[in-house]
């Protein structure tokens, strides 16, 4: 049983980095993430975003849900849970995976760290303890919510490896994407994975909460030469849209949380069919997924290259702009002006007739302009979701 | 002898009678509400029974009142305001407390103290219950179709009913699974239902309370899960399942309704108990009052429960045998008691700190489902519960109009209290002993409760019956079990607010969709009456 004392005066938890994030958060603008208080904007979203594309940004990702899977059936449990084949993942490797319900509808996505074949850790956006425990029936595994016992920072950007190198993190440049290992970071032994949400070169650093402040301070040590910024949730949202990463309950409703069954989405609709391995033996949702694949998705989450410079936030998508003939064919789930691409980009659902690459659709954008809304019809081209894809992301050795 | 003629006469000025009255008056009809007491409100009343204190002495919190009715009757303009709950709590014997708050993250952490799995499962539970509420919500406003009838309107009604289950937009296209869930939810015991989600006893018992309030079912009784749903389908400003206080007590609701009714030229005749409905040739045409006066009306509407209507004010000989038998067999069992307490100070709880929002909503002291079922067992044995389930609240913390400054009003709803005691019936002495027993139970969880009691009104089902006229003191005007819901409520074949007597209608909680200060039965009845009169009004509800 949890003995943590709670009070109504402090509804949100503070992360082990709070002392520092509080210091840096000049804007005093906070965001709720999984019951924690994290910075939405430290001082300037634009500069925080730029740090991740120019130098390196530090994001407190401690609130992420973390589950420890241990036991001799750990591997087969995970193989029942997720849609891809985990047996191909070795120790010190990370897999990106999704899990579905029995109807083949996506519940959540996450990264699965293989410590060894009897020990995995799953990091994900939503709470999944009940789903994992339900799935674990009949397996010799223990599942523990270890969210509060690991502190985590994302360290993302072209200089991230260089700075870790300066901090004498040995051989960090040879850590391959989707791999992790234990490293000495100044006085502490921490786990570093070459993973992240920015679509750029970057790492995630996992440590004991007691080491948190030291780890944070280390990353800022070379700030006079290489300016590292603490980046907030607004900046993170920007880089993840550019990278084409999708988020449950933003781009699609988690099947565990959708009130309306027709809001649930299967992997093919989310463009995540590549994560489904229908060859492997029984896993949750397999029968339904075979059907979904055969039928093909009715709608699909795609990238949109939007004409003009007004972000298509929340826009309804149409097949044409002829008066009284325009038919609704989709909706935008995330949209922004991309500073690095100098493009107006969006992610959205588009129906079958229009989801192929190169199709044209139209977004109805309501743009606020000095207390007035201007309605803009913007032509959009269906493109790959991965708008930003710099080769340094996967380069080995990493850029130093 | 006084004789006057109306389009419609309504027997009983409870919230449903007044709702019917308002809609009919809005349609331009000449309407009179005939009320036994010198005040209106039925079981939604605010009464100064102790100088300086206002008691919501029957119903005490508000959630189910349909917002469309609130709007149509302009209840805000007529003085009604709802104050949302800030939280709720169950106090444990070990000095801890289990709480729900408005803040979702805080609620998660509060539940996680007992079980992390349950804290997460609470969202799953909430989603599933919400889904069922969404299915039920449109049904509340419907006149239940008669499944045995081939009349076009019944066939259309059944079609409508089926449509909700298949609706693509409204409900997001319910699949087989959700339809199975609906049938299960409507028939299961609340204990079995909660068992599917939760492991911690305190979580289960805290949530199970909603399933037994006002009902002569225990947490293990099949059908009790539906009662939980019934308590969840209300809302406060779009937050489904939320509860609030009516500012000024529950009487504010009916006072506002009465004021709205009068503004539409409605007439209220208070202090006028009805002794008989005048019937000739199977048609009703008027009322006889206790003083011998007669009131004539084309349509008569009874806000009384179905038993009181047909066993007390309609003569037996006027009724078809089967109908009479069905009314006699209608389940309307008294199982609830109530204490209204004037406090000289705020209670200091051993577990909940002062100022904690959890202490300002509904408070409970039942420790687990077994204890709750034990309380029900006592009721079956004809005794009041040794360890009663209490639903208590202190509205005066949030509502400055209920008690003198620095003093407080506490409402304690008690489950279970039998209508008849096994050991020779209720006496004044036993009533007081019952009150003392409940207060001493509550006193165990507080350091000052026993010393701050200034006055207490103690009500058993007998008092509820005598004062409000609810048969056996059943707060829902009849049990909310599947055999008495939808097209079976109150009696199969008569679920459409009509009766075997021509021109005589029912509008009380005995009719679909049942009890609670909802107003839906009253508004639905008004719609049926207007249909029969070929009158149309355009409102949010009708």
């Amino acid at each position: 049983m949890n003995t943590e004392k709670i009070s109504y005066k402090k509804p949100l938890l503070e992360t082990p980095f709070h002392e520092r994030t509080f210091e840096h958060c000049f804007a005093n603008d906070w965001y709720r993430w999984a019951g924690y208080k994290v910075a939405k904007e430290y001082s300037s979203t634009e500069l925080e975003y730029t740090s991740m594309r120019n130098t390196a940004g530090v994001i407190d990702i401690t609130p992420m849900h973390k589950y420890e899977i241990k036991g001799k059936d750990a591997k087969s449990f995970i193989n029942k849970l997720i849609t891809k084949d985990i047996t191909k993942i070795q120790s010190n490797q990370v897999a990106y995976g999704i899990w579905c319900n029995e109807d083949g509808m996506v519940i959540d996505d996450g990264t699965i760290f293989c410590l060894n074949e009897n020990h995995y850790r799953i990091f994900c956006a939503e709470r999944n303890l009940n789903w994992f425990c339900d799935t674990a029936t009949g397996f010799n595994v223990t599942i523990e919510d270890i969210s509060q016992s690991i502190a985590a920072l994302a360290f993302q950007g072209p200089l991230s490896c260089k700075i870790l190198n300066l901090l004498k993190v040995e051989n960090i440049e040879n850590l391959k994407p989707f791999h992790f290992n234990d490293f000495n970071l100044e006085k502490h032994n921490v786990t570093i994975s070459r993973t992240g949400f920015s679509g750029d070169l970057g790492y995630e650093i996992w440590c004991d909460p007691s080491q948190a402040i030291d780890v944070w301070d280390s990353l800022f040590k070379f700030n006079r030469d290489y300016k590292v910024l603490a980046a907030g949730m607004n900046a993170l949202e920007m880089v993840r849209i550019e990278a084409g990463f999708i988020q449950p309950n933003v781009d699609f409703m988690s099947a565990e949380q959708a009130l309306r069954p027709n809001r649930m989405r299967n992997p093919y609709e989310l463009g995540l069919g590549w994560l489904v391995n229908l060859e492997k033996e029984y896993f949750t949702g397999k029968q339904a997924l075979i059907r979904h694949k055969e039928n093909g998705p009715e709608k699909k989450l795609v990238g949109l290259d939007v004409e003009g410079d007004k972000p298509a936030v929340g826009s309804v998508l149409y097949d044409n702009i002829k008066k009284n003939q325009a038919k609704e064919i989709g909706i935008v789930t995330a949209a922004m002006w991309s500073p690095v691409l100098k493009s107006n980009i969006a992610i959205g659902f588009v129906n079958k007739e229009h989801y192929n690459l190169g199709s044209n659709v139209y977004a109805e954008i309501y743009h606020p302009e000095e207390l007035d809304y201007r309605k803009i019809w913007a032509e959009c081209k269906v493109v790959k979701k991965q708008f930003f894809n710099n080769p340094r992301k996967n380069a080995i050795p990493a850029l130093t | 002898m006084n004789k006057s003629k109306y389009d419609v006469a309504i027997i009983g000025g409870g919230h449903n009678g007044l709702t019917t009255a308002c809609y009919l008056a809005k349609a331009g009809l000449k309407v009179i509400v005939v009320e036994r007491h010198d005040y209106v409100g039925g079981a939604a009343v605010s009464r100064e029974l102790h100088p300086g204190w206002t008691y919501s002495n029957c119903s005490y919190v508000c959630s189910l009142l349909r917002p469309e009715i609130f709007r149509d009757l302009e209840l805000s303009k007529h003085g009604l305001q709802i104050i949302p709950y800030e939280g709720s709590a169950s106090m444990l014997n070990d000095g801890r407390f289990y709480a729900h708050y408005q803040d979702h993250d805080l609620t998660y952490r509060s539940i996680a103290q007992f079980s992390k799995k349950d804290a997460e499962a609470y969202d799953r539970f909430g989603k599933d219950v919400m889904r069922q509420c969404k299915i039920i919500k449109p049904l509340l406003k419907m006149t239940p179709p008669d499944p045995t009838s081939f009349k076009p309107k019944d066939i259309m009604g059944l079609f409508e009913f089926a449509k909700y289950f298949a609706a693509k937009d409204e409900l997001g296209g319910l699949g087989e699974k959700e339809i199975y869930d609906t049938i299960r939810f409507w028939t299961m015991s609340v204990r079995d239902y909660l068992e599917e989600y939760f492991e911690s006893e305190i979580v289960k018992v805290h949530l199970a309370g909603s399933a037994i309030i006002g009902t002569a079912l225990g947490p293990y009784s099949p059908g009790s899960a539906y009662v939980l749903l019934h308590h969840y389908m209300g809302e406060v400003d779009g937050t489904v399942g939320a509860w609030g206080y009516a500012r000024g007590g529950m009487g504010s609701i009916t006072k506002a309704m009465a004021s709205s009714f009068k503004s539409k030229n409605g007439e209220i005749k208070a202090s006028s108990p009805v002794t008989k409905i005048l019937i000739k040739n199977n048609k009703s045409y008027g009322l006889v009052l206790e003083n011998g006066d007669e009131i004539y009306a084309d349509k008569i509407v009874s806000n009384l429960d179905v038993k009181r209507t047909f066993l007390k004010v309609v003569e037996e000989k006027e009724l078809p045998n089967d109908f009479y038998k069905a009314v006699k067999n209608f389940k309307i069992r008294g199982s609830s008691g109530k204490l209204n307490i004037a406090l000289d100070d705020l209670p200091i709880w051993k577990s909940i700190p002062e100022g904690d929002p959890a202490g300002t909503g509904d408070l409970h002291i039942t420790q687990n489902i077994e204890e709750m079922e034990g309380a029900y067992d006592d009721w079956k044995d004809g005794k009041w519960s040794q360890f009663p389930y209490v639903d208590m609240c202190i509205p005066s913390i949030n509502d400055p109009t209920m008690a003198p400054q620095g003093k407080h009003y506490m409402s304690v709803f008690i489950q279970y209290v039998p209508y008849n005691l096994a050991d020779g019936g209720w006496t004044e002495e036993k009533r007081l002993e019952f009150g003392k027993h409940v207060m001493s139970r509550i006193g165990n969880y507080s350091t000052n409760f026993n010393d701050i009691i200034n006055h207490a009104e103690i009500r058993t089902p007998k008092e509820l019956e005598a004062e409000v006229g609810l048969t056996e003191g059943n707060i829902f005007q009849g049990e909310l079990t599947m055999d008495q819901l939808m097209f079976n409520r109150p009696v199969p074949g008569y679920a459409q607010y009509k009766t075997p007597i021509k021109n005589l209608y029912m509008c009380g909680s005995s009719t679909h969709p049942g009890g609670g200060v909802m107003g839906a039965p009253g508004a639905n009845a008004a719609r049926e009456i207007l249909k029969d009169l070929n009158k149309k009004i355009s409102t949010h509800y009708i």
Side-chain angles (χ1 to χ4, degrees):
Chain A
M1 196 180 55
N2 192 344
T3 49
E4 167 210 8
K5 188 90 185 139
I6 68 160
S7 160
Y8 68 94
K9 292 176 188 165
K10 231 173 142 185
L12 296 179
L13 294 165
E14 289 168 357
T15 78
F17 301 103
H18 188 74
E19 201 185 317
R20 288 292 180 270
T21 56
F22 183 77
E23 253 171 50
H24 282 72
C25 194
F26 308 138
N28 204 13
D29 191 1
W30 301 90
Y31 179 82
R32 280 173 182 243
W33 179 8
Y36 282 90
K37 196 171 159 179
V38 290
K40 197 194 251 172
E41 179 176 70
Y42 283 95
S43 61
S44 156
T45 294
E46 197 188 346
L47 298 181
E48 290 157 35
Y49 158 84
T50 304
S51 73
M52 283 187 276
R53 294 283 181 240
N54 177 45
T55 52
V58 177
I59 303 172
D60 182 358
I61 55 165
T62 306
M64 190 171 283
H65 296 291
K66 313 172 194 87
Y67 299 97
E68 182 127 80
I69 320 292
K70 272 180 173 169
K72 70 176 178 53
D73 290 343
K75 189 193 274 181
S76 42
F77 157 76
I78 291 185
N79 236 10
K80 184 187 176 188
L81 176 78
I82 68 168
T83 60
K84 83 164 25 158
D85 190 358
I86 197 70
T87 57
K88 300 193 170 134
I89 306 293
Q90 312 293 322
S91 297
N92 288 76
Q93 253 186 297
V94 181
Y96 171 60
I98 50 170
W99 43 100
C100 295
N101 68 12
E102 210 48 69
D103 300 326
M105 297 302 180
V106 180
I107 293 173
D108 200 358
D109 63 349
T111 46
I112 300 141
F113 284 52
C114 175
L115 288 97
N116 61 56
E117 64 173 1
N118 301 322
H119 187 185
Y120 292 82
R121 279 182 188 154
I122 303 181
F123 302 103
C124 50
E126 300 300 316
R127 292 196 168 103
N128 280 285
L129 186 60
N130 278 298
W131 185 257
F132 291 174
C133 288
D134 289 353
T135 306
T137 311
F139 290 97
N140 190 348
V141 286
T142 56
I143 292 159
E144 199 191 340
D145 181 348
I146 52 164
S147 301
Q148 289 197 47
S149 51
I150 296 178
L153 289 178
F155 189 47
Q156 305 277 306
L159 296 195
S160 52
C161 183
K162 184 182 194 80
I163 291 165
L164 290 175
N165 225 302
L166 289 169
L167 288 165
K168 302 197 167 49
V169 178
E170 209 172 323
N171 208 18
I172 187 70
E173 64 278 10
N174 288 319
L175 185 65
K176 293 185 208 150
F178 280 90
H179 281 70
F180 70 94
N181 218 328
D182 288 346
F183 294 92
N184 283 320
L185 175 60
E186 300 209 291
K187 39 185 179 193
H188 299 296
N189 189 261
V190 300
T191 301
I192 300 179
S193 57
R194 189 161 166 192
T195 48
F197 217 47
S198 67
D200 208 321
L201 172 62
Y203 300 87
E204 288 170 324
I205 303 168
W206 315 85
C207 66
D208 189 88
S210 65
Q211 307 165 336
I213 297 293
D214 288 345
V215 169
W216 175 282
D217 290 344
S218 297
L219 300 181
F220 289 87
K221 209 168 160 185
F222 297 94
N223 239 25
R224 278 183 58 177
D225 308 322
Y226 303 117
K227 186 153 183 154
V228 170
L229 285 186
M233 289 295 115
N234 285 351
L236 179 61
E237 174 69 1
M238 291 174 75
V239 292
R240 78 94 188 167
I241 296 173
E242 286 178 344
F245 290 129
I246 62 173
Q247 249 190 306
N249 299 331
V250 176
D251 297 298
F252 69 98
M253 286 304 297
S254 159
E256 266 286 281
Q257 289 171 49
L259 195 58
R260 298 163 183 82
N262 71 357
R263 301 299 198 273
M264 300 176 188
R265 297 286 174 262
N266 69 51
Y268 304 102
E269 291 173 317
L270 298 178
L272 297 178
W274 59 282
L275 291 174
V276 183
N277 183 342
L278 293 173
E279 307 301 311
K280 75 169 182 174
E281 48 186 79
Y282 174 75
F283 60 93
T284 306
K286 183 177 177 184
Q287 291 314 315
L289 286 166
I290 292 172
R291 243 180 13 250
H292 290 316
K293 189 177 182 184
E294 258 173 38
N295 297 341
E298 281 302 309
K299 52 169 81 77
K300 210 166 161 181
L301 200 61
V302 298
L304 296 165
D305 187 13
V306 187
E307 181 192 9
D309 60 1
K310 308 292 182 272
V313 176
S315 289
V316 175
L317 299 169
Y318 295 86
D319 60 345
N320 68 69
I321 49 174
K322 285 184 214 125
K323 218 175 179 180
N324 301 326
Q325 284 182 35
K327 204 178 109 206
E328 262 187 55
I329 50 111
I331 187 131
V332 169
T333 61
M336 67 179 281
W337 170 259
S338 162
V340 71
L341 300 165
K342 296 287 177 266
S343 294
N344 196 14
I345 60 172
I347 296 173
F349 279 104
V350 176
N351 75 5
K352 209 174 189 166
E353 289 73 35
H354 300 86
Y355 62 51
N356 290 325
L357 292 180
S359 299
N360 280 332
V361 298
Y362 296 86
E364 187 184 20
I365 302 170
Y366 286 83
H367 178 67
E369 209 168 55
E370 297 189 323
L371 306 182
D372 219 340
Y373 273 91
R374 201 153 59 86
K375 185 164 141 180
I376 300 165
W377 288 95
E379 194 177 341
C380 315
K381 189 182 281 289
V382 172
V383 295
K384 282 189 173 166
K385 284 197 296 281
Q386 204 177 21
F387 299 97
F388 177 81
N389 188 17
N390 193 303
R392 69 186 168 222
K393 178 174 78 172
N394 293 325
I396 312 164
L399 183 71
T400 50
Chain B
M1 197 187 286
N2 255 327
K3 289 185 181 181
S4 26
K5 168 90 181 159
Y6 295 86
D7 292 326
V8 183
I10 295 169
I11 311 170
H15 66 276
N16 278 314
L18 290 168
T19 300
T20 307
C22 285
Y23 279 106
L24 297 179
K26 239 176 144 69
L29 297 171
K30 192 178 176 203
V31 184
I32 184 168
V33 171
V34 186
E35 167 58 46
R36 187 161 71 114
H37 291 296
D38 59 358
Y39 56 91
V40 293
V45 290
S46 304
R47 302 186 63 204
E48 186 172 330
L49 296 176
H50 186 61
W53 271 265
T54 303
Y55 291 170
S56 286
N57 76 329
C58 302
S59 65
Y60 48 103
V61 283
C62 180
S63 160
L64 302 174
L65 181 63
R66 301 309 312 153
E68 305 95 316
I69 296 174
F70 202 123
R71 257 174 111 169
D72 285 341
L73 309 188
E74 299 179 292
L75 297 183
S76 169
K77 192 173 112 184
H78 294 282
L80 180 59
Q81 189 189 342
I82 307 295
I83 311 163
Y85 263 20
E86 293 174 20
S88 75
S90 281
M91 298 183 253
L92 278 78
N93 288 342
D94 64 9
R96 291 180 299 160
F97 68 104
Y98 167 88
H100 288 186
Y101 298 91
Q102 288 245 349
D103 188 309
H104 179 263
D105 289 319
L106 188 57
T107 302
Y108 172 88
R109 287 174 62 199
S110 162
I111 305 175
Q113 291 179 108
F114 298 89
S115 157
K116 268 193 183 179
K117 278 179 84 175
D118 285 1
E120 199 179 301
Y122 184 62
D123 287 345
R124 246 191 203 181
F125 167 81
K127 176 197 69 185
D128 288 350
V129 172
M130 179 80 85
R131 212 180 258 164
Q132 298 303 325
C133 287
K134 275 193 163 310
I135 295 173
I136 272 203
K137 215 167 131 181
L139 304 183
L140 299 176
K141 281 171 74 171
M142 271 174 81
T143 293
D146 184 343
T148 66
S149 149
F150 291 102
K151 282 184 201 157
K153 79 162 189 176
D154 288 307
I155 291 170
M156 283 308 287
L158 286 170
F159 179 70
E160 279 283 302
F161 193 97
K163 216 175 71 185
Y164 284 120
F165 286 86
K168 281 277 174 267
D169 297 325
E170 185 77 9
L171 300 169
L174 291 181
E176 276 170 45
K177 215 187 268 170
E178 290 75 26
I179 293 170
Y180 293 140
D181 274 350
T182 302
I183 306 297
R184 275 160 32 84
F185 206 151
W186 289 14
T187 51
M188 276 173 104
S189 82
V190 72
R191 184 262 177 196
D192 288 350
Y193 190 74
L194 293 170
E195 201 71 25
E196 294 186 1
Y197 294 89
F198 303 107
E199 58 183 19
S200 163
E201 277 303 320
I202 196 68
V203 181
K204 282 184 267 182
V205 78
H206 185 86
L207 292 167
S210 298
I212 61 153
I213 285 180
T215 183
L217 296 176
Y220 277 84
S221 312
S224 52
Y226 173 78
V227 184
L228 177 133
L229 187 58
H230 196 87
H231 279 111
Y232 271 61
M233 61 202 182
E235 59 186 285
V236 175
D237 300 325
T239 309
V240 176
W243 285 78
Y245 298 114
R247 196 172 194 268
M250 292 300 277
S252 301
I253 296 173
T254 47
K255 271 179 210 151
M257 285 175 168
S259 167
S260 171
F261 176 52
K262 284 179 193 157
S263 76
K264 295 279 178 288
N265 302 316
E267 201 180 313
I268 294 175
K269 194 168 174 63
S271 308
S272 306
V274 172
T275 53
K276 197 170 123 176
I277 297 175
L278 293 166
I279 296 166
K280 196 173 170 185
N281 213 358
N282 199 37
K283 274 187 198 166
S284 68
Y285 64 96
L287 309 172
V288 184
L289 306 183
E290 203 174 56
N291 65 3
D293 283 2
E294 291 182 2
I295 292 173
Y296 301 115
D298 293 337
K299 305 274 182 197
I300 308 286
V301 189
S302 175
N303 183 190
L304 314 182
D305 68 59
V306 66
K307 279 204 155 153
R308 203 169 175 91
T309 305
F310 293 102
L311 306 181
K312 295 262 164 65
V313 286
V314 170
E315 285 175 296
E316 193 179 327
K317 63 177 189 208
E318 306 286 355
L319 296 170
N321 301 349
D322 285 355
F323 179 80
Y324 179 77
K325 219 183 262 172
V327 170
K328 273 205 96 158
N329 291 332
F330 184 66
K331 282 184 301 181
I332 181 164
R333 300 172 295 204
S335 61
S336 319
K338 180 87 194 284
L339 298 185
N340 293 294
I341 306 173
L343 298 171
D344 280 329
D345 201 348
L346 259 184
I348 298 167
W349 303 113
K350 288 179 182 168
S351 54
I352 310 170
E354 195 183 325
D356 194 314
T360 69
D362 51 310
L363 303 174
H364 314 273
I365 55 173
T366 304
Q367 304 294 308
N368 52 54
I369 297 270
E370 302 306 318
E371 186 182 313
M372 190 180 255
E373 183 71 9
Y376 179 54
D377 290 339
D378 292 338
W379 177 86
K380 283 184 282 181
D381 293 341
K383 298 181 288 197
W384 63 72
S385 304
Q386 183 65 25
F387 294 96
Y389 171 80
V390 299
D391 183 37
M392 49 188 179
C393 55
I394 308 171
S396 53
I397 299 176
N398 291 355
D399 179 352
T401 69
M402 303 295 284
Q405 191 186 347
K407 306 192 186 284
H408 287 279
Y409 158 58
M410 182 167 174
S411 161
V412 184
F413 181 88
I414 304 134
Q415 203 71 11
Y416 301 82
V417 195
Y419 177 70
N420 285 312
L421 289 178
D423 63 346
W426 285 98
T427 61
E428 185 58 9
E429 210 176 28
K430 284 182 192 163
R431 185 178 69 87
L432 295 176
E433 194 190 319
F434 158 68
K436 234 173 92 186
H437 176 69
V438 175
M439 284 185 272
S440 84
R441 290 284 312 146
I442 298 169
N444 290 339
Y445 297 86
S446 167
T447 54
N448 67 343
F449 182 71
N450 298 325
D451 310 323
I452 57 174
I453 298 168
N454 182 309
H455 169 262
E457 184 201 14
I458 301 161
R459 298 157 68 94
T460 74
K462 288 278 181 199
E463 280 73 42
L464 205 57
E465 180 182 60
E467 184 183 302
V468 188
L470 295 166
T471 301
E472 287 204 22
N474 180 296
I475 66 167
F476 294 133
Q477 284 203 351
E479 292 290 338
L480 299 172
T481 47
M482 254 336 244
D483 56 322
Q484 302 196 152
L485 287 174
M486 300 295 297
F487 40 74
N488 285 332
R489 190 169 185 91
V491 167
Y494 295 96
Q496 301 181 339
Y497 310 93
K498 294 186 178 67
T499 71
I501 313 289
K502 207 163 179 285
N503 295 333
L504 176 61
Y505 296 80
M506 294 174 276
C507 73
S509 297
S510 284
T511 60
H512 172 77
V517 184
M518 197 182 324
N524 289 352
R527 185 182 53 227
E528 289 305 306
I529 294 163
L530 290 172
K531 242 187 243 163
D532 290 351
L533 289 169
N534 271 323
K535 285 235 170 217
K536 279 210 163 93
I537 52 170
S538 173
T539 61
H540 295 288
Y541 192 96
I542 296 177

